[in-house]
Amino acid sequence: MGILVDCKRGIVAVRIKVVGTVQGVGFRPFVYKLATSLNLNGYVLNLGGSEVEIHVEGERDSVRLFISRLTIEKPPPARIASVEIREIEPQCFESFKILRSSGELSARSSIPPDIAICRDCISEIRTHGSRFYRYPWNSCAWCGPRFSMMYDVPYDRENTAMFRFKLCEECLKDYEHPDSLRRFHAQGISCSKCGPRTLVYESNGKRIDVDNPVSFVAQKILEGRIVAIKGIGGYHIACLATRDEVVLDLRLRKKRPSQPFALMARDFAVVDKIAIPPQGARELLESPQRPIVVMPKRPGSPVSEHVAPMLSTLGVMLPYTGFQIMLLDMVEDGFLVMTSGNVHGRPMCTNLECVFSELANIVDYVVEHERQIVHRVDDSVMRFTDGVPVLLRRARGFAPEWIETRVELPDGVAVGAELQTAGAVCFEDKVVLTQFIGDVDEPAQLEDLEREIRWFAKVYKLNPKFVALDRHPLYHSRVVAKRLAGELNAELIEVQHHHAHIASVMGEIGLSEGEEVVGIAIDGTGYGDDGGIWGGEILIASYKDYRRVASLEPFILPGGDSSAKYPVKSLISIMASAGYSEDEVVGILDKMGLLKGLPHGLKEAEVVYYLSKSGKGTITTSIGRVLDAFSALLNICTHRSYEGEPPIKLEAVADRGRDLGYTPRLKNFSNRIIVSVSDMLRWAIDNISGVSEEDMAATILRGLGRALGVAALKSLEGRRNIKQYITVGGGAAVNAHIVRGIKEVLKERNIEVILPRRFPPGDGGIALGQILVASNKLQTLV
């Protein structure tokens, strides 16, 4: 690089712009120490778009060394996307300073996610004599809350919920003194003298004066009480995980009969005692993101069977705040139930008003801290699908980091889907997914979706040209989309559900406009071009368009949402489609004790059969409903109490089984390859008496995967202009047995199977695909 020289002074000067996750991670203090150690003068400041500007001047060799060390020695949480270096005239600075942040926006940068407490801060709260000894909310430049407490950018204290806590003399000294690297200009720091207090309440709102909140709460939990604890992005509900009566009491209070509860374990040694961590799990558990990791339950584990009923797995995370660490230090078992603090179906509480109005009948005590939660941020959840870590929920630790694509995008917005969803905004070549929002058929979550989209559009100073939405006419997210499009004078662009799933994966792996892939999209619900409900699809897709080349065998499903709630209805519908007579259907259901899986028993079975045979219902190819049917057939789950329960329990049974090698046959229908679900159902019914439910479940899932793999391979054959790999998306893409079946077939032809890694395959990542498809469609509208 040619650097300008001021011959009079013999110095050189450069201005550096660093883009990435560089605010709220101790980057400016690091720059200050690096510059002063090299005797360089100038300044560093945050800009309004969250990027950092650096001006350094001094001797040529020192400036060159500064530039080379800038990216190599950066703070651990910092992530640098780009560095722009520009030659400038020296300004004759006499020192190096951290300047007050600017509101100027020249380049946009990733907003920092919340980061788990670091080892140094943990050491301080455990060390006698430390100023931070037993201070529950200790943090530094390298850790602690970020996004969850931000009102605005740049990430300065006055733009966060910490603005109301004036630094004490000692903290101010740390903040201003460069020798305190972890606290020098660290925006979220505090101590017991100046930081948020920890308060304890009874569930009726009465405050309790206690000397040691952690000890008090630990004792109450050990006595079998249930406690709400405020964390980084919301409240948890904590209780013992070893006593059946305590867990069952929580289920009764929370009206959550069988959905699994998350656990929090003191350290990895405790995790290893209760679960069997797959290879790579420790790195995820101990990472700054601290996600919940779903992993096999260890035989003989002391965890109550009621924590995850009828499942072979547990969801476990490690503590990420000082309070959680000190609490688990006082629990002999080393682990607790630590589930979301919400009423079933409602968003997690983020303030005391919500806790006292919604959780008063669930918890006995409440632990509060005084820092406001600005953005609700749930715990992220991950699992391993055929050995590959996959996100189920993208929130704390991951959101709202952007995803870079290879597509130039106009400013835009996407509202996601309906259930377990998230929204997004876009600009340049970047898509920013909001944190996990949840089910937007609930008004509070729909409000969250709109509020978060508006916030991101504001802080990134966007002028959206389009608003993307799902094509399903009954999705509640359409209300938000239409309102935003009207206010912003933006184009409203519908995107087909499964096209968006495949486009999301295309975006992550960096495909450009015009490139095509064969994609498998498997889930529960997606509005199809024919007005039916799709969900077992193989598409040839680009961002611009798609062709439906294969699917599961369609069948008529009466009853709408009630069919998803009662899986026996899907079973009856598929049996009707497969040619079974009414007497045969009733006889099989009666023999297997499945009539009890319908609210009105025999009469309801006869009505469902009649409607299915008469074509009075919705035509569907949903793999979700197919898996529901087989879960019911094997008497694994005949009533759904939470989203995805029948397929999840079917997979849990399959984990103990052996694949028998059966694969349903393929046939052709209307120029489309069809996976014969009827064929599979007949095989299952014919063999059910001689095959264990474990082997049957494993074979059904693996066989479906193989059939989809064969259909995808046939769709790929002879098309050399299409990428020679298969992408897989949709909520069912996390099922390890189905994915193994797909891979088994394609591995023989050396064809790679690609799942998303940076966002959930389900509707939590669908907004990324909506953005990419809608931006392409916008070009044809302009």
Side-chain angles (χ1 to χ4, degrees):
M1 180 188 70
I3 299 178
L4 296 175
V5 178
D6 182 333
C7 299
K8 293 181 180 179
R9 301 183 66 233
I11 64 170
V12 298
V14 295
R15 184 161 295 159
I16 304 169
K17 199 154 289 179
V18 184
V19 177
T21 304
V22 289
Q23 289 194 20
V25 292
F27 193 76
R28 287 183 299 167
F30 154 72
V31 169
Y32 177 94
K33 292 209 75 171
L34 178 60
T36 54
S37 71
L38 295 170
N39 295 316
L40 296 173
N41 297 331
Y43 64 83
V44 58
L45 82 159
N46 284 341
L47 295 180
S50 307
E51 75 270 28
V52 168
E53 181 179 282
I54 305 165
H55 176 110
V56 288
E57 55 187 47
E59 294 183 1
R60 179 189 298 274
D61 290 344
S62 295
V63 171
R64 289 189 182 278
L65 189 57
F66 176 89
I67 293 170
S68 67
R69 291 172 61 183
L70 183 66
T71 55
I72 297 171
E73 300 177 12
K74 64 180 176 59
R79 296 186 184 182
I80 295 176
S82 66
V83 178
E84 175 190 320
I85 302 172
R86 186 161 56 92
E87 306 168 357
I88 60 171
E89 292 285 349
Q91 302 297 307
C92 302
F93 289 103
E94 296 181 354
S95 63
F96 194 91
K97 295 180 179 180
I98 297 179
L99 298 183
R100 184 177 179 83
S101 297
S102 164
E104 177 187 348
L105 173 64
S106 59
R108 300 176 175 104
S109 281
S110 190
I111 293 167
D114 301 294
I115 305 167
I117 186 171
C118 67
R119 292 182 180 180
D120 294 288
C121 285
I122 293 172
S123 176
E124 288 170 343
I125 66 175
R126 286 176 168 165
T127 302
H128 287 275
S130 165
R131 187 166 99 251
F132 306 97
Y133 178 61
R134 299 195 66 76
Y135 176 54
W137 315 113
N138 192 24
S139 70
C140 69
W142 295 351
C143 70
R146 299 291 192 271
F147 167 60
S148 65
M149 66 176 186
M150 288 179 65
Y151 297 120
D152 203 348
V153 295
Y155 178 70
D156 284 336
R157 196 176 183 94
E158 60 264 31
N159 289 331
T160 76
M162 290 301 290
F163 84 99
R164 59 173 288 206
F165 301 99
K166 185 178 179 181
L167 293 173
C168 67
E169 186 177 338
E170 291 172 291
C171 284
L172 184 61
K173 182 179 177 181
D174 282 346
Y175 182 86
E176 293 178 339
H177 203 286
D179 287 341
S180 177
L181 177 60
R182 289 175 35 249
R183 291 189 169 86
F184 180 48
H185 276 252
Q187 305 305 318
I189 63 170
S190 64
C191 70
S192 58
K193 292 181 181 178
C194 61
R197 295 177 299 164
T198 307
L199 309 173
V200 180
Y201 296 85
E202 293 179 353
S203 60
N204 61 10
K206 180 183 177 182
R207 184 174 161 189
I208 309 170
D209 290 325
V210 295
D211 294 331
N212 190 328
V214 178
S215 297
F216 177 85
V217 169
Q219 184 59 41
K220 292 302 179 184
I221 288 175
L222 293 173
E223 291 172 1
R225 303 299 182 89
I226 299 171
V227 182
I229 302 173
K230 189 176 184 180
I232 286 181
Y235 287 80
H236 286 111
I237 295 176
C239 70
L240 289 172
T242 51
R243 286 171 52 183
D244 289 350
E245 71 276 15
V246 174
V247 179
L248 287 171
D249 186 27
L250 176 58
R251 289 203 173 281
L252 184 64
R253 296 188 195 188
K254 215 167 186 281
K255 298 178 181 178
R256 185 169 161 172
S258 56
Q259 188 172 3
F261 291 135
L263 300 176
M264 182 174 282
R266 182 170 53 231
D267 51 36
F268 185 75
V270 175
V271 175
D272 202 38
K273 180 175 73 173
I274 62 177
I276 305 173
Q279 185 176 358
R282 181 168 191 168
E283 289 76 8
L284 293 176
L285 286 163
E286 295 179 345
S287 71
Q289 290 76 31
R290 292 288 200 284
I292 296 169
V293 180
V294 179
M295 60 192 90
K297 183 178 179 181
R298 188 171 291 282
S301 165
V303 177
S304 167
E305 290 294 329
H306 301 289
V307 167
M310 292 185 65
L311 298 182
S312 57
T313 55
L314 294 172
V316 190
M317 60 182 152
L318 296 185
Y320 52 87
T321 71
F323 189 95
Q324 294 165 353
I325 285 167
M326 291 188 289
L327 175 62
L328 287 161
D329 281 347
M330 303 185 74
V331 175
E332 185 177 356
D333 295 324
F335 62 92
L336 295 169
V337 167
M338 197 69 70
T339 190
S340 296
N342 66 309
V343 174
H344 184 60
R346 294 270 298 161
M348 179 172 57
C349 285
T350 59
N351 55 56
L352 280 177
E353 181 183 1
C354 174
V355 171
F356 293 141
S357 64
E358 297 189 8
L359 304 185
N361 295 324
I362 297 176
V363 302
D364 301 306
Y365 297 95
V366 179
V367 177
E368 165 75 358
H369 63 70
E370 296 178 304
R371 185 184 66 243
Q372 181 190 3
I373 295 173
V374 181
H375 302 274
R376 173 172 63 87
V377 187
D378 295 73
D379 295 315
S380 293
V381 184
M382 301 187 74
R383 63 163 286 170
F384 285 83
T385 296
D386 195 33
V388 177
V390 176
L391 276 161
L392 300 180
R393 181 198 294 164
R394 184 179 183 270
R396 178 184 49 76
F398 296 95
E401 289 187 335
W402 64 39
I403 295 171
E404 292 184 88
T405 72
R406 291 185 62 191
V407 178
E408 190 64 31
L409 301 166
D411 292 357
V413 165
V415 297
E418 181 82 348
L419 302 179
Q420 304 295 290
T421 196
V425 301
C426 68
F427 49 85
E428 300 163 4
D429 61 346
K430 301 167 182 67
V431 178
V432 181
L433 289 165
T434 71
Q435 73 276 31
F436 168 82
I437 299 295
D439 299 346
V440 297
D441 57 353
E442 159 60 45
Q445 274 129 303
L446 189 65
E447 290 172 10
D448 279 356
L449 174 67
E450 182 169 0
R451 180 170 53 252
E452 294 297 337
I453 287 174
R454 288 182 183 276
W455 187 83
F456 283 109
K458 181 194 76 171
V459 298
Y460 281 121
K461 296 187 165 97
L462 302 183
N463 180 23
K465 299 294 187 282
F466 68 86
V467 178
L469 70 162
D470 194 279
R471 191 175 288 171
H472 198 300
L474 301 181
Y475 277 5
H476 293 77
S477 54
R478 293 176 69 88
V479 175
V480 171
K482 290 177 180 179
R483 181 158 51 237
L484 289 172
E487 289 181 17
L488 300 169
N489 194 29
E491 290 285 347
L492 193 66
I493 301 178
E494 292 185 338
V495 179
Q496 201 281 326
H497 192 86
H498 302 99
H499 186 200
H501 274 314
I502 293 170
S504 292
V505 187
M506 294 169 63
E508 183 184 291
I509 61 180
L511 293 193
S512 302
E513 294 183 53
E515 294 184 291
E516 286 188 321
V517 299
V518 172
I520 300 173
I522 43 178
D523 60 7
T525 300
Y527 193 75
D529 295 341
D530 55 6
I533 298 301
W534 293 2
E537 313 305 316
I538 299 178
L539 309 180
I540 294 177
S542 64
Y543 296 131
K544 180 181 179 180
D545 207 351
Y546 62 92
R547 302 189 301 283
R548 190 188 192 196
V549 292
S551 75
L552 296 188
E553 181 179 12
F555 61 97
I556 301 295
L557 184 63
D561 290 344
S562 71
S563 296
K565 189 172 183 180
Y566 300 102
V568 175
K569 291 188 176 184
S570 292
L571 175 59
I572 294 171
S573 298
I574 297 174
M575 292 175 78
S577 177
Y580 285 88
S581 70
E582 182 178 330
D583 288 343
E584 287 175 316
V585 170
V586 170
I588 291 169
L589 296 181
D590 186 43
K591 180 180 177 181
M592 303 189 68
L594 294 176
L595 291 174
K596 68 180 186 298
L598 298 170
H600 304 287
L602 174 60
K603 287 186 177 180
E604 189 166 3
E606 291 171 343
V607 170
V608 172
Y609 181 86
Y610 167 76
L611 293 173
S612 298
K613 289 298 284 186
S614 303
K616 296 178 179 179
T618 301
I619 188 167
T620 183
T621 54
S622 163
I623 200 170
R625 302 294 77 80
V626 169
L627 299 182
D628 285 354
F630 282 105
S631 188
L633 177 68
L634 300 180
N635 239 316
I636 294 168
C637 183
T638 58
H639 178 265
R640 189 197 73 179
S641 65
Y642 60 90
E643 180 70 20
E645 181 179 5
I648 289 170
K649 289 184 172 177
L650 182 66
E651 183 181 11
V653 172
D655 288 340
R656 306 191 299 270
R658 178 174 58 94
D659 172 31
L660 302 178
Y662 166 80
T663 302
R665 65 188 177 89
L666 303 183
K667 54 187 181 182
N668 289 303
F669 174 76
S670 297
N671 296 318
R672 189 166 89 238
I673 301 169
I674 298 294
V675 175
S676 180
V677 176
S678 299
D679 185 62
M680 172 167 273
L681 180 67
R682 286 192 174 277
W683 175 85
I685 291 173
D686 291 345
N687 291 277
I688 200 165
S689 60
V691 176
S692 70
E693 70 171 10
E694 293 84 359
D695 290 352
M696 184 68 76
T699 304
I700 287 165
L701 293 174
R702 190 78 171 253
L704 273 173
R706 280 192 291 266
L708 288 167
V710 173
L713 187 61
K714 288 180 176 293
S715 302
L716 191 62
E717 286 176 350
R719 293 186 167 99
R720 295 297 174 190
N721 58 325
I722 295 177
K723 294 292 183 181
Q724 296 299 295
Y725 47 69
I726 304 295
T727 63
V728 185
V734 301
N735 188 297
H737 299 279
I738 293 176
V739 171
R740 284 185 197 126
I742 295 170
K743 288 182 176 180
E744 178 186 332
V745 170
L746 297 172
K747 185 179 180 181
E748 296 174 1
R749 301 287 291 271
N750 294 317
I751 294 174
E752 185 182 3
V753 176
I754 300 175
L755 278 75
R757 300 290 295 274
R758 297 187 61 194
F759 59 86
D763 289 355
I766 200 168
L768 170 60
Q770 290 177 338
I771 289 278
L772 291 164
V773 173
S775 66
N776 196 286
K777 287 186 175 182
L778 183 68
Q779 297 175 21
T780 64
L781 296 174
V782 175

